[in-house]
Amino acid sequence: MPDDPTRPGVHPRLIGGEMATWSDLATTAPLRAIAPAVLALVPEGRRRVLLAGPRAALLRQYFRDHDVRVLVRGVPDAEALAQDGADVVCGALDRLPAGSAYDVVVLLDPPETVLSPDSPGLSHADTLGLAADAVADDGCVVALVPGGLGLDTLTAGTQPHRLADDTAWWVGTDGYDVRRPFRHELPGLLGDAGLTPWVERSLLPTGADPVVVLEGGSEEAVRNAHEALAAAVHAVAYADRAVDVLAGGAAAELAGGWLVVAGRSPRVLHAPALVADPGLGEAVDGPLRGHRWPLLLALRDGNLSRARTLLEELRAGCGDDVSYDAALVELAGQVAGAPGAHPFAPELDAQALAHELRILGGVAASAAEVAAPTPRAAAHRPSDVAEDVVEARREELEAALHDRSVQVADLQRRASDQERRIRALEHAVATADGPWPRRTLLVLTAPTRRLVEAARSRTQRSR
């Protein structure tokens, strides 16, 4: 492979199993909470790091103080990383040279993403074994093991792999697992790979969009994870269902995957019980803490009475109207534009929705009276919104537009009927003599309230 003319001597090294025209980086899932979690889980003093696979390659910027090598199978990905200054080897994981002896191997992808059509079919345990073979005797593997009972897996329809799609090249090859592992199988997978677990953390809501990486046995971690997931509702798929998973105590079993640190011999490794997506910013510890999830449920269910009570409690907890209004703006930014997230007109933007929430909470302020900053909850919205969410939003807006059209047509019909009555009465007055037609016109066109007052006044005079 020729050197990059702009960076002489910098090019990836081919080790076998490389895919000449294949690229994984463009479709790699975001790291979210994985990045800070991996950094917290890597033991101190480890210098030589192998980032195996496209998702692990995204961590390269966080390991600038380490001796880092990146392994990807796609030649275009390898060339791009090499041009960016990375030390890259290109090929399949099973082609790594023997005796690599890395201090840490980070593996965040399933077997079919780190192997190639030239590789033998390997299970999840076999793939972990390849990563274990590449570490030194006192080294460790940091691996993401995908879960077979994740929320995205449970809610997806059972469909066969599309064999016409190139991404299904591995289907039908002997050796690959037919499904992702279950939680109770995890110790066996590590044992078969010759590894002893040091740390295990669960990913929620899914392995593709991990908002939190947590230890389910820590009550404080569960409480904080609840707030983080609530802040991600309507922005990250299945975040609302993950809140229910936490409440049911099933975080480990229904995790989208497990981030594990394991080595050849037992070791105690101290690690944080919870790591949340940095993209949430201050939303987890902001004024909505403890109030966000009940409010989201009340708005989703259209329970305005419950929402009014919760808004009053939020205002009392904020202490001043400035903090309260900031909380409303953040909440409005989270639910605005999300299908079925609130009972108000679906075309309302965040600023108009914040105004509706102020009124519902008993604060008589217009949206123009308070500056509306960009909501923090909107900062981590995915740019590639799922097609089903877009379709649901379109159908909601079309239904609202149809309702408005029906209302306008009904009002136009009523106005037309009223106009015809008035013209008929005017014609009757113009063609008749005497006071009775005029009195009849006054009676027919007078407001009901005035007629009632006139009747009461006549009755009192007659007494």
Side-chain angles (χ1 to χ4, degrees):
M1 183 177 296
D3 291 348
D4 179 3
T6 64
R7 300 180 62 88
V10 177
H11 58 85
R13 181 163 61 93
L14 305 182
I15 61 174
E18 64 274 357
M19 301 173 72
T21 60
W22 191 266
S23 176
D24 291 301
L25 289 177
T27 57
T28 297
L31 291 171
R32 295 194 185 275
I34 291 178
V38 170
L39 295 179
L41 292 175
V42 171
E44 295 182 359
R46 307 303 172 98
R47 299 297 303 170
R48 297 191 67 231
V49 178
L50 174 66
L51 303 177
R55 203 173 191 188
L58 300 178
L59 290 168
R60 187 174 67 89
Q61 59 178 317
Y62 301 102
F63 286 95
R64 297 193 182 278
D65 296 334
H66 295 71
D67 180 10
V68 177
R69 176 167 289 173
V70 179
L71 168 68
V72 290
R73 62 182 181 177
V75 172
D77 294 339
E79 292 177 339
L81 290 168
Q83 291 177 9
D84 195 38
D87 178 9
V88 186
V89 290
C90 182
L93 182 61
D94 63 304
R95 304 300 180 91
L96 274 178
S100 298
Y102 292 98
D103 294 327
V104 180
V105 173
V106 181
L107 176 65
L108 304 178
D109 293 290
E112 66 271 14
T113 307
V114 293
L115 301 176
S116 73
D118 295 333
S119 305
L122 299 177
S123 65
H124 290 85
D126 296 332
T127 307
L128 288 173
L130 292 176
D133 292 341
V135 300
D137 290 339
D138 60 344
C140 66
V141 175
V142 181
L144 171 57
V145 181
L149 293 177
L151 292 172
D152 50 348
T153 303
L154 291 177
T155 56
T158 303
Q159 298 178 352
H161 289 282
R162 293 175 296 172
L163 297 180
D165 188 347
D166 288 341
T167 59
W169 60 265
W170 56 279
V171 176
T173 302
D174 291 337
Y176 287 100
D177 290 331
V178 296
R179 59 166 175 78
R180 303 303 189 196
F182 297 150
R183 168 63 187 81
H184 70 273
E185 298 173 337
L186 188 57
L189 293 178
L190 296 174
D192 292 344
L195 296 171
T196 300
W198 296 354
V199 173
E200 175 194 332
R201 296 291 185 266
S202 301
L203 276 64
L204 287 175
T206 64
D209 278 311
V211 174
V212 293
V213 178
L214 79 152
E215 178 187 7
S218 170
E219 293 184 3
E220 181 180 0
V222 170
R223 287 195 300 270
N224 291 330
H226 184 284
E227 295 296 331
L229 289 167
V233 170
H234 303 312
V236 178
Y238 307 108
D240 54 342
R241 304 303 300 163
V243 174
D244 295 334
V245 168
L246 281 179
E253 289 74 15
L254 300 182
W258 305 277
L259 194 62
V260 297
V261 184
R264 299 186 187 280
S265 57
R267 175 176 174 174
V268 176
L269 182 64
H270 298 287
L274 172 70
V275 177
D277 180 5
L280 295 175
E282 301 176 1
V284 176
D285 296 319
L288 282 171
R289 182 179 178 85
H291 302 276
R292 187 191 302 268
W293 180 242
L295 277 167
L296 289 175
L297 289 180
L299 291 175
R300 183 196 66 185
D301 297 339
N303 190 340
L304 296 183
S305 176
R306 171 68 172 158
R308 182 180 297 108
T309 301
L310 292 171
L311 288 173
E312 292 173 353
E313 295 175 358
L314 173 62
R315 187 181 184 188
C318 288
D320 60 83
D321 285 346
V322 175
S323 300
Y324 174 64
D325 194 76
L328 293 186
V329 170
E330 182 176 338
L331 181 64
Q334 184 173 356
V335 300
H342 60 82
F344 304 105
E347 65 270 18
L348 295 182
D349 59 11
Q351 187 171 352
L353 190 55
H355 176 59
E356 295 291 340
L357 293 176
R358 292 187 192 101
I359 296 174
L360 182 62
V363 177
S366 65
E369 291 174 354
V370 183
T374 301
R376 288 192 293 266
H380 63 284
R381 287 183 182 271
S383 56
D384 51 342
V385 182
E387 293 183 3
D388 55 345
V389 176
V390 174
E391 180 65 18
R393 176 65 174 160
R394 184 186 66 81
E395 292 178 356
E396 186 179 43
L397 291 174
E398 287 182 350
L401 180 60
H402 176 72
D403 291 342
R404 301 298 189 279
S405 300
V406 171
Q407 293 173 5
V408 169
D410 182 64
L411 290 174
Q412 289 176 340
R413 180 184 59 78
R414 293 184 182 184
S416 179
D417 292 344
Q418 187 70 12
E419 184 177 2
R420 284 196 297 270
R421 293 190 186 97
I422 292 175
R423 287 179 179 177
L425 290 172
E426 289 176 346
H427 178 73
V429 171
T431 58
D433 295 331
W436 285 109
R438 293 183 176 84
R439 291 184 180 181
T440 302
L441 178 63
L442 289 176
V443 170
L444 292 176
T445 59
T448 304
R449 178 178 54 82
R450 293 185 59 185
L451 293 175
V452 172
E453 292 176 353
R456 288 177 178 173
S457 177
R458 181 179 296 276
T459 300
Q460 291 175 358
R461 288 199 302 269
S462 64
R463 291 177 180 174

